[in-house]
Amino acid sequence: MLGMLLRRIVESLIVLFAVAFIAFSLFSFIGDPVNNMLGQEATEAERLDMRERLGLNDSVIVQFTRFIGRAVQGEFGVSYRQSRPVIDLIAESLPATLELSFFAMVLAVGLGIPIGIQTAINRDSLVSKVLMTGSLIGISLPTFLAGILLIMIFSVKLGWLPSFGRGQVEQMGWWGTGLRTWSGIKALILPTITLAIFQMTLIVRLVRSEMLEVLQADFIKFARARGLRERLVQFGYALPNTLVPVITIVGLQLGSVIAFAIVTETVFQWPGMGLLFIQSVTFADVPVMAAYLLLIALIFVVINLLVDMLYYVIDPRLRSMAGL
Amino acid sequence: MGMLRRFANSDLGYSFLHSRVVVAAAIVVAVVVVAAIGANALAPHNPFDLASLELFDALTPPAWEAGGRWIYPLGTDDQGRDVLSAIMYGTRVSLMVGFASVALSMAIGIPLGMISGYFGGMLDSVIMRFAEIQLTFPAILIALLIDGIVRTALPRDIHSDIAVFVLIAAIGFSNWVQYARTVRGMTLVERSKEYVQAAQVTGVHPLLIMLRHILPNVASPVLVIATIGLALAIVTEATLSFLGVGVPPTQPSLGTLIRIGNDFLFSGEWWIATFPSVTLVALVISVNLLGDWLRDVLNPRLNR
């Protein structure tokens, strides 16, 4: 257990290190930071002075080490586009993304698991067939189109819900929440559904196929042969065995929710990290890009570590394998 | 004709002809592909010929609506471009990027998977660790990051020339892991079979064994992954183009067209975004249906 955990942590650090290097090299590939800061009119002496002060004359290794040192302290420099510290921009947009992702995940899990169970235990019922067809459409419908479709129906045609923005945001310390105002909650609905659709169809399909597999296992046949009630076999024996892989995948999906949030946030002009990132790509705003890269890598690595550990706790077979 | 009859008599053909949904999906894909490839000859207008654009005709609704005209069956956009023709040309870009990136994923994934499975050892664990790490990041994020980084790293004028290739590389590289993992598993199984051992004993070069003996035997699962991968690649391309980091505006794909049309939804010009969207969804659903069907037919074991 400890050995595996240690290996995972080392691996995670390597990944983070690699991403940090990519983020760092962005600065040297893209434009000259001195030009970006001083503008075209600066004299040669000013430029040389600036280069020295920024430490651009040091070796790459020294610069990289300094970059990491600053990144660890949350110091990513100043956005080229907005002339504000990157860390402030991130702090402003992070709550928006996290609130959106959280509710999307709750919706996806809350609907996905029951639908998956239903389509597995009543395979041939009409409801299941309709739901499976729906899941095929859900998996084929690109996230951005789902968003546009919802906007068309609920904003343009019916005029019930806003099509962009976050509504009224209230500050709670540094965390700006949209959950305490009516307009904030209304603004959250469509983006949440948009972000949840794809994840939900994945969960439905996964739960269904896992459940179907478990239902064919020997211990289920045995339980049936003992004459246990079908409900008990399904929910008491099959379901718990289905949930182990489901929990893992759902955990891993948390990361991809944050990735897909880029798309959803762009469609709804939701002021989160994804929108910030897309804008930084369009405007070649390197400090913001670098910070986003590092942050998203960190989030992924942490989620993966946690899921690995969780898997270990849930599935006793893994523990006994380590003992061999 | 003889080939057609042979197909109809095979298992594959039987299952194909006896599933209405699959036949319908195949027809949709065929129509879309033919319309895209033949866009030059079939499209009623050339949306890239600036001389033929009439600004006066801008924002004409579809022919059956009030104010629509039959020379623009699906209406025009804000620059007077015929929506139907733009869709045909746009689908060509989408399909080209889709096929090319699937080919790239295969070109990376299949050799790596085979080498991993055939030789095992250190090489195997390095390749598979790398694959596993990449798998923890969603493909669309990787494609977006590669595309975004290259986009900012290159000067703007150079970039627009090679944007399509950058996009293909980004999507292709983001999806190779699937192929590598499947091919590796299959290779492991095949390697221990007698025909491979016989080839090894008679001194056939490992490269030749992989190419001539193992490759044909891993072809059918690869075909399944490639079909579903095509749908995924088309969606990824459309998404990136919609976000404005995909193909350059001079070569609009379906995603670009939807992005343009999205700006007109609120002013009531619904047709600019709707028809490209319908085309995209119909294409992707059909390809996915074909993929699901192939998986069921080629893998009876998975047939649940």
Side-chain angles (χ1 to χ4, degrees), chain A residues 11 123 140 145 152 213 284, chain B residues 129 136 138 152 265 277 288 304:
Chain A
E11 231 173 69
R123 276 181 80 173
S140 304
L145 266 187
M152 280 255 282
E213 197 159 302
Chain B
R129 291 312 296 162
T136 59
T152 23
L265 278 183
S277 308
N288 268 333
R304 299 189 176 122

Side-chain angles (χ1 to χ4, degrees), chain A residues 96-97 100 143-148 151 163-165 191 194-195 257-282 292, chain B residues 140 144 238-246 255 258-259 262-263 266:
Chain A
T97 298
L100 175 61
T143 305
F144 70 94
L145 266 187
I148 293 178
I151 290 180
S163 63
F164 66 91
T194 307
L195 189 52
V257 164
I258 293 172
F260 276 99
I262 297 178
V263 180
T264 310
E265 286 174 8
T266 310
V267 176
F268 289 94
Q269 293 296 300
W270 185 264
M273 288 198 310
L275 192 63
L276 189 67
F277 175 68
I278 280 292
Q279 286 168 347
S280 73
V281 169
T282 327
Y292 182 84
Chain B
I140 195 161
L144 183 65
T239 304
L240 295 185
S241 295
F242 176 80
L243 294 178
V245 293
I258 299 170
R259 174 189 171 83
N262 192 28
D263 296 339
F266 286 95

Side-chain angles (χ1 to χ4, degrees), chain B residues 39-40 42-48 52 70-73 81-82 85-86 89:
Chain B
N40 279 346
L42 297 172
H45 305 267
N46 179 358
F48 299 111
S52 78
W70 278 108
I71 51 164
Y72 303 119
R81 266 190 300 232
D82 176 42
S85 309
Y89 281 88

Side-chain angles (χ1 to χ4, degrees), chain A residues 7-8 11 15 22 26 29-30 123 136-137 139-142 144-145 148 151-152 155-156 163 205 208-209 212-213 255-256 259-260 262-263 266-267 277-278 280-282 284-285 289 292-293 296-297 300 304, chain B residues 129 132-133 136-138 140-141 144-145 147-149 151-154 156 232 235 238-240 242-245 255 258-259 262 265-266 270 273-274 276-278 280-281 284-286 288-289 292 295 303-304:
Chain A
R7 216 184 68 202
R8 287 282 150 145
E11 231 173 69
V15 171
I22 295 172
L26 279 179
F29 280 134
I30 300 162
R123 276 181 80 173
L136 183 79
I137 296 173
I139 223 154
S140 304
L141 190 69
F144 70 94
L145 266 187
I148 293 178
I151 290 180
M152 280 255 282
S155 303
V156 179
S163 63
R205 291 183 150 227
R208 181 185 126 95
S209 69
L212 285 176
E213 197 159 302
S256 72
F260 276 99
I262 297 178
V263 180
T266 310
V267 176
F277 175 68
I278 280 292
S280 73
V281 169
T282 327
D285 195 345
M289 278 178 81
Y292 182 84
L293 268 179
I296 203 91
F300 267 90
N304 273 292
Chain B
R129 291 312 296 162
E132 222 167 273
I133 291 173
T136 59
F137 294 86
I140 195 161
L141 184 67
L144 183 65
L145 294 181
D147 193 58
I149 289 173
R151 165 176 301 268
T152 23
L154 290 175
R156 215 153 268 262
L232 187 70
V235 168
T239 304
L240 295 185
F242 176 80
L243 294 178
V245 293
I258 299 170
R259 174 189 171 83
N262 192 28
L265 278 183
F266 286 95
W270 54 272
T274 304
S277 308
V278 170
L280 177 68
V281 173
V284 173
I285 289 185
S286 304
N288 268 333
L289 279 170
D292 276 358
R295 184 180 54 204
N303 202 354
R304 299 189 176 122

Side-chain angles (χ1 to χ4, degrees), chain B residues 200-239:
Chain B
Q200 282 170 337
V201 170
T202 48
V204 181
H205 193 269
L207 199 67
L208 212 58
I209 297 183
M210 283 193 261
L211 274 178
R212 292 268 292 276
H213 301 286
I214 297 182
L215 190 59
N217 284 301
V218 301
S220 55
V222 166
L223 182 66
V224 174
I225 303 176
T227 312
I228 293 171
L230 177 65
L232 187 70
I234 292 173
V235 168
T236 309
E237 184 279 324
T239 304

